[in-house]
Amino acid sequence: MHKVMGIGMEGKEAIIAEIISKAERAAAGLISDAKAERDAALEKVRAEEARKREEALTDARSAAAEIASRAKTLSSLEARKTELAAKQRVLNAAFEEASKKILNMTDHIYREFIGGFIEKYADDGDSVIVAERDKKRLHAEWLKSLGDKCGKRLSLSEKTHGGNGGIILSGKTSDKNLTLETMFASLRDTALTNAAKRLFK
Protein backbone atom coordinates (compact mmCIF):
# COMPACT_ATOMS: atom_id res chain seq x y z
CA MET A 1 0.00 0.00 0.00
CA HIS A 2 1.08 3.52 -0.80
CA LYS A 3 1.19 6.04 1.93
CA VAL A 4 -0.53 9.42 1.35
CA MET A 5 1.74 12.07 2.60
CA GLY A 6 0.09 15.23 3.94
CA ILE A 7 1.22 18.76 3.14
CA GLY A 8 2.25 20.82 6.03
CA MET A 9 1.15 24.38 6.68
CA GLU A 10 4.33 25.83 5.28
CA GLY A 11 3.90 23.90 2.02
CA LYS A 12 0.33 25.04 1.68
CA GLU A 13 1.30 28.63 2.27
CA ALA A 14 4.06 28.38 -0.32
CA ILE A 15 1.67 27.00 -2.94
CA ILE A 16 -0.91 29.65 -2.15
CA ALA A 17 1.74 32.33 -2.29
CA GLU A 18 2.92 31.09 -5.68
CA ILE A 19 -0.65 30.98 -7.05
CA ILE A 20 -1.26 34.51 -5.78
CA SER A 21 2.03 35.66 -7.27
CA LYS A 22 1.16 34.16 -10.67
CA ALA A 23 -2.29 35.69 -10.52
CA GLU A 24 -0.83 39.08 -9.65
CA ARG A 25 1.68 38.83 -12.51
CA ALA A 26 -1.09 37.83 -14.91
CA ALA A 27 -3.28 40.68 -13.69
CA ALA A 28 -0.41 43.12 -14.00
CA GLY A 29 0.20 41.91 -17.56
CA LEU A 30 -3.45 42.32 -18.44
CA ILE A 31 -3.51 45.77 -16.88
CA SER A 32 -0.36 46.74 -18.77
CA ASP A 33 -1.77 45.46 -22.06
CA ALA A 34 -5.04 47.25 -21.42
CA LYS A 35 -3.18 50.49 -20.67
CA ALA A 36 -1.10 50.09 -23.82
CA GLU A 37 -4.22 49.49 -25.92
CA ARG A 38 -5.96 52.42 -24.26
CA ASP A 39 -2.95 54.71 -24.83
CA ALA A 40 -2.70 53.59 -28.46
CA ALA A 41 -6.42 54.21 -29.00
CA LEU A 42 -6.18 57.63 -27.35
CA GLU A 43 -3.17 58.52 -29.46
CA LYS A 44 -5.03 57.46 -32.59
CA VAL A 45 -8.02 59.59 -31.60
CA ARG A 46 -5.76 62.58 -30.83
CA ALA A 47 -3.96 62.18 -34.17
CA GLU A 48 -7.26 61.96 -36.05
CA GLU A 49 -8.57 65.03 -34.23
CA ALA A 50 -5.35 66.92 -34.97
CA ARG A 51 -5.59 65.91 -38.64
CA LYS A 52 -9.21 67.08 -38.82
CA ARG A 53 -8.34 70.37 -37.10
CA GLU A 54 -5.48 70.97 -39.52
CA GLU A 55 -7.69 70.04 -42.46
CA ALA A 56 -10.42 72.40 -41.22
CA LEU A 57 -7.85 75.19 -40.76
CA THR A 58 -6.47 74.61 -44.26
CA ASP A 59 -9.97 74.69 -45.75
CA ALA A 60 -10.78 77.84 -43.77
CA ARG A 61 -7.57 79.56 -44.92
CA SER A 62 -8.25 78.50 -48.51
CA ALA A 63 -11.85 79.75 -48.33
CA ALA A 64 -10.72 83.05 -46.79
CA ALA A 65 -8.07 83.50 -49.48
CA GLU A 66 -10.60 82.76 -52.22
CA ILE A 67 -13.11 85.20 -50.74
CA ALA A 68 -10.42 87.88 -50.51
CA SER A 69 -9.32 87.17 -54.08
CA ARG A 70 -12.89 87.36 -55.36
CA ALA A 71 -13.48 90.59 -53.46
CA LYS A 72 -10.31 92.07 -54.94
CA THR A 73 -11.28 90.89 -58.44
CA LEU A 74 -14.80 92.27 -58.08
CA SER A 75 -13.46 95.56 -56.77
CA SER A 76 -11.02 95.80 -59.66
CA LEU A 77 -13.74 94.81 -62.14
CA GLU A 78 -16.12 97.45 -60.80
CA ALA A 79 -13.37 100.05 -61.01
CA ARG A 80 -12.68 99.15 -64.63
CA LYS A 81 -16.40 99.21 -65.45
CA THR A 82 -16.65 102.66 -63.89
CA GLU A 83 -13.65 103.85 -65.91
CA LEU A 84 -15.12 102.42 -69.12
CA ALA A 85 -18.45 104.13 -68.43
CA ALA A 86 -16.60 107.41 -67.90
CA LYS A 87 -14.73 106.95 -71.19
CA GLN A 88 -18.05 106.24 -72.90
CA ARG A 89 -19.53 109.48 -71.58
CA VAL A 90 -16.47 111.42 -72.76
CA LEU A 91 -16.63 109.80 -76.21
CA ASN A 92 -20.36 110.46 -76.52
CA ALA A 93 -19.83 114.10 -75.65
CA ALA A 94 -16.90 114.38 -78.06
CA PHE A 95 -18.80 112.84 -80.98
CA GLU A 96 -21.87 114.94 -80.24
CA GLU A 97 -19.72 118.06 -80.31
CA ALA A 98 -18.03 116.92 -83.54
CA SER A 99 -21.44 116.29 -85.13
CA LYS A 100 -22.61 119.77 -84.20
CA LYS A 101 -19.47 121.32 -85.70
CA ILE A 102 -19.95 119.44 -88.98
CA LEU A 103 -23.63 120.34 -89.21
CA ASN A 104 -22.79 123.99 -88.51
CA MET A 105 -20.17 124.18 -91.27
CA THR A 106 -20.72 126.78 -93.94
CA ASP A 107 -22.45 125.38 -97.04
CA HIS A 108 -19.24 125.50 -99.06
CA ILE A 109 -17.16 123.65 -96.47
CA TYR A 110 -19.96 121.13 -95.83
CA ARG A 111 -20.24 120.34 -99.56
CA GLU A 112 -16.48 119.75 -99.70
CA PHE A 113 -16.75 117.48 -96.66
CA ILE A 114 -19.59 115.39 -98.14
CA GLY A 115 -18.02 115.53 -101.60
CA GLY A 116 -14.95 113.76 -100.27
CA PHE A 117 -17.09 110.76 -99.27
CA ILE A 118 -18.83 110.70 -102.64
CA GLU A 119 -15.55 110.81 -104.56
CA LYS A 120 -14.14 107.98 -102.46
CA TYR A 121 -17.11 105.66 -102.01
CA ALA A 122 -19.67 106.33 -104.78
CA ASP A 123 -19.98 103.97 -107.74
CA ASP A 124 -21.04 104.97 -111.22
CA GLY A 125 -24.83 105.17 -111.37
CA ASP A 126 -25.38 105.67 -107.62
CA SER A 127 -28.29 107.72 -106.34
CA VAL A 128 -27.40 110.08 -103.49
CA ILE A 129 -29.88 110.36 -100.60
CA VAL A 130 -29.41 113.41 -98.40
CA ALA A 131 -30.88 114.49 -95.05
CA GLU A 132 -34.02 116.61 -95.07
CA ARG A 133 -32.09 119.56 -93.62
CA ASP A 134 -29.44 119.29 -96.37
CA LYS A 135 -31.80 119.46 -99.38
CA LYS A 136 -30.98 123.11 -100.07
CA ARG A 137 -27.19 122.98 -99.79
CA LEU A 138 -26.60 119.53 -101.32
CA HIS A 139 -28.50 120.23 -104.50
CA ALA A 140 -28.60 118.63 -107.96
CA GLU A 141 -26.32 121.20 -109.64
CA TRP A 142 -23.59 120.62 -107.05
CA LEU A 143 -23.90 116.84 -107.42
CA LYS A 144 -23.70 116.98 -111.22
CA SER A 145 -20.58 119.13 -111.03
CA LEU A 146 -19.04 116.70 -108.55
CA GLY A 147 -19.94 113.72 -110.75
CA ASP A 148 -18.34 115.35 -113.77
CA LYS A 149 -15.24 116.05 -111.72
CA CYS A 150 -14.78 112.43 -110.58
CA GLY A 151 -16.14 110.85 -113.79
CA LYS A 152 -19.20 109.18 -112.26
CA ARG A 153 -22.85 109.35 -113.25
CA LEU A 154 -24.65 110.37 -110.10
CA SER A 155 -28.24 111.39 -109.39
CA LEU A 156 -29.91 113.12 -106.47
CA SER A 157 -32.66 110.97 -104.98
CA GLU A 158 -36.06 112.50 -104.33
CA LYS A 159 -36.09 110.60 -101.03
CA THR A 160 -34.38 111.87 -97.88
CA HIS A 161 -32.94 109.86 -94.97
CA GLY A 162 -33.90 110.34 -91.32
CA GLY A 163 -30.48 111.37 -90.03
CA ASN A 164 -29.22 114.86 -89.26
CA GLY A 165 -26.50 114.89 -91.88
CA GLY A 166 -24.33 112.87 -94.21
CA ILE A 167 -25.57 110.79 -97.15
CA ILE A 168 -26.65 107.34 -98.26
CA LEU A 169 -25.28 106.07 -101.57
CA SER A 170 -27.97 103.89 -103.10
CA GLY A 171 -26.56 101.54 -105.73
CA LYS A 172 -27.91 98.84 -108.00
CA THR A 173 -26.84 95.99 -105.71
CA SER A 174 -26.18 97.63 -102.33
CA ASP A 175 -26.36 100.85 -100.34
CA LYS A 176 -23.61 102.62 -98.43
CA ASN A 177 -24.77 104.36 -95.26
CA LEU A 178 -22.57 107.42 -94.75
CA THR A 179 -24.90 109.35 -92.46
CA LEU A 180 -23.20 111.16 -89.59
CA GLU A 181 -25.03 109.01 -87.04
CA THR A 182 -23.83 105.76 -88.62
CA MET A 183 -20.24 106.90 -89.07
CA PHE A 184 -19.96 108.29 -85.55
CA ALA A 185 -21.60 105.18 -84.07
CA SER A 186 -19.02 103.00 -85.83
CA LEU A 187 -16.14 105.20 -84.67
CA ARG A 188 -17.51 105.28 -81.11
CA ASP A 189 -17.95 101.48 -81.01
CA THR A 190 -14.39 100.97 -82.25
CA ALA A 191 -13.01 103.41 -79.68
CA LEU A 192 -14.98 101.78 -76.84
CA THR A 193 -13.95 98.28 -77.94
CA ASN A 194 -10.29 99.30 -77.91
CA ALA A 195 -10.70 100.94 -74.50
CA ALA A 196 -12.40 97.83 -73.12
CA LYS A 197 -9.62 95.61 -74.46
CA ARG A 198 -7.02 97.72 -72.68
CA LEU A 199 -8.99 97.80 -69.42
CA PHE A 200 -10.04 94.13 -69.25
CA LYS A 201 -7.03 92.35 -70.75
Side-chain angles (χ1 to χ4, degrees):
M1 291 181 64
H2 294 285
K3 292 183 179 179
V4 179
M5 302 292 292
I7 300 174
M9 286 296 296
E10 292 183 0
K12 289 179 181 179
E13 289 176 356
I15 292 171
I16 292 170
E18 185 177 352
I19 291 171
I20 292 172
S21 177
K22 287 182 179 179
E24 287 176 345
R25 287 197 300 273
L30 291 173
I31 292 170
S32 178
D33 291 343
K35 284 183 178 179
E37 289 179 5
R38 182 199 62 191
D39 292 344
L42 286 173
E43 185 61 31
K44 186 176 181 180
V45 169
R46 291 192 191 99
E48 181 65 16
E49 288 178 348
R51 186 189 67 78
K52 287 181 178 179
R53 280 197 304 273
E54 187 60 33
E55 192 176 82
L57 283 172
T58 300
D59 290 343
R61 292 190 191 103
S62 178
E66 186 175 352
I67 290 170
S69 177
R70 285 181 180 176
K72 184 177 179 181
T73 299
L74 287 173
S75 176
S76 176
L77 182 61
E78 287 303 316
R80 283 177 285 179
K81 284 182 178 179
T82 300
E83 184 176 350
L84 183 61
K87 288 181 182 293
Q88 185 172 5
R89 288 193 295 272
V90 170
L91 285 171
N92 287 340
F95 283 122
E96 185 176 348
E97 183 64 24
S99 179
K100 287 179 181 178
K101 287 183 178 179
I102 290 171
L103 293 173
N104 290 327
M105 287 175 174
T106 63
D107 290 352
H108 174 69
I109 298 298
Y110 187 71
R111 281 194 287 265
E112 285 189 356
F113 174 75
I114 297 298
F117 290 112
I118 292 175
E119 289 182 24
K120 185 173 182 179
Y121 297 109
D123 294 322
D124 190 54
D126 276 357
S127 177
V128 180
I129 304 172
V130 302
E132 180 68 29
R133 63 177 289 167
D134 287 339
K135 284 174 66 176
K136 290 184 178 180
R137 58 179 177 174
L138 300 182
H139 46 69
E141 291 79 4
W142 163 76
L143 185 61
K144 184 180 183 306
S145 174
L146 183 62
D148 292 342
K149 176 184 174 183
C150 59
K152 297 175 182 178
R153 290 179 297 108
L154 304 170
S155 62
L156 185 65
S157 174
E158 294 182 358
K159 298 187 297 183
T160 58
H161 64 72
N164 288 324
I167 56 172
I168 294 176
L169 296 173
S170 181
K172 294 178 181 178
T173 58
S174 64
D175 295 343
K176 299 182 184 75
N177 191 328
L178 299 173
T179 60
L180 294 184
E181 289 81 5
T182 299
M183 289 189 292
F184 282 146
S186 178
L187 290 171
R188 182 170 53 246
D189 289 344
T190 300
L192 283 175
T193 298
N194 292 335
K197 285 180 179 178
R198 289 193 295 270
L199 285 171
F200 296 98
K201 65 181 179 179

